[in-house]
Amino acid sequence: MNQIANKIIIKLERILIPHLVQWGEYLQTKIRQYKHQQLKQQLKFCGSRVRFRRDIRIDHPQNISLGSKIYIGQDVILDGRGGITIGDNTTIGFNVVILSANHDYQSNALPYEHNVYIHKPVVIGRNVWIGANVLIVPGVTIGDGAIIAAGTVVTSNVETLAIVGNQPMRIIKYRDRQHYERLASEQISQAEIC
């Protein structure tokens, strides 16, 4: 009896499992489409023909404006705390992170105060192409028609029609040494008390 039951189960699995997988994928697609539609309604502005590819994370959508004919790849993060504006006909590759707020390194805690941010809007023009794995920091403006190569960290404004990429690591500036040493000594003192 067990052998017959096992054979029936195996046959059912061969028939049902592929259909269940297809149905599950179909449901996941429909759920994602629904979530994307809900997300678009939360944006400050959303033009026509805006497409999100698979998963996307948008924080503070009420501060984000998207023009028309925009494509945003999968696993993109848009941090809208300081405001983000993206112009028409722009393409954003996968794993792109756009930040519009940053911790204040001059705050009164080390390494920083967790709830103290500096908000700076990011403005991306029309017809911009942003490659995969790009990081755009707060306060940057990218001009119309610009191209940002994959893997670029965009730390300053990009001119109209410019193609940028492959920035070497460099020292931007230094923290205030006295301020840092004061906070570090306070941190050590507090650790000794505990």
Side-chain angles (χ1 to χ4, degrees):
M1 188 71 159
N2 277 343
Q3 288 180 334
I4 295 172
N6 284 342
K7 286 181 181 181
I8 292 172
I9 289 171
I10 290 170
K11 285 193 182 237
L12 282 174
E13 285 177 349
R14 285 184 186 155
I15 294 169
L16 286 178
I17 296 296
H19 293 293
L20 290 174
V21 168
Q22 286 178 334
W23 181 247
E25 289 171 355
Y26 172 79
L27 282 177
Q28 286 176 347
T29 300
K30 290 300 179 184
I31 289 168
R32 193 168 24 255
Q33 288 172 350
Y34 174 78
K35 287 180 177 179
H36 290 170
Q37 194 59 38
Q38 295 297 105
L39 197 51
K40 288 176 184 179
Q41 292 173 6
Q42 296 173 25
L43 297 171
K44 181 177 181 179
F45 177 81
C46 184
S48 63
R49 297 171 56 196
V50 172
R51 294 185 306 137
F52 299 144
R53 173 84 173 142
R54 299 188 59 89
D55 297 325
I56 180 172
R57 184 174 127 199
I58 298 180
D59 297 332
H60 303 274
Q62 70 277 9
N63 298 331
I64 297 176
S65 295
L66 303 178
S68 295
K69 291 179 62 183
I70 292 177
Y71 171 83
I72 298 179
Q74 70 183 38
D75 299 323
V76 168
I77 298 173
L78 303 178
D79 177 1
R81 285 178 284 185
I84 297 173
T85 302
I86 300 174
D88 296 343
N89 202 38
T90 291
T91 297
I92 299 175
F94 63 87
N95 291 335
V96 170
V97 177
I98 302 175
L99 304 174
S100 63
N102 200 355
H103 292 286
D104 183 1
Y105 69 90
Q106 295 284 45
S107 63
N108 293 316
L110 289 178
Y112 53 84
E113 287 184 83
H114 294 283
N115 293 324
V116 177
Y117 294 94
I118 297 171
H119 296 137
K120 293 181 181 178
V122 171
V123 178
I124 298 171
R126 300 172 67 232
N127 304 307
V128 173
W129 176 13
I130 300 172
N133 296 308
V134 167
L135 170 64
I136 300 172
V137 301
V140 165
T141 297
I142 298 174
D144 292 347
I147 298 174
I148 313 299
T152 301
V153 177
V154 183
T155 59
S156 59
N157 293 343
V158 177
E159 295 178 25
T160 297
L161 302 178
I163 300 173
V164 298
N166 300 325
Q167 300 173 2
M169 187 180 84
R170 61 184 173 81
I171 297 171
I172 299 168
K173 62 181 175 179
Y174 289 93
R175 295 176 87 163
D176 181 311
R177 182 175 294 280
Q178 290 176 339
H179 181 250
Y180 174 82
E181 288 175 353
R182 179 180 59 81
L183 294 174
S185 66
E186 290 174 7
Q187 185 182 48
I188 291 169
S189 297
Q190 290 176 355
E192 290 172 353
I193 294 172
C194 295

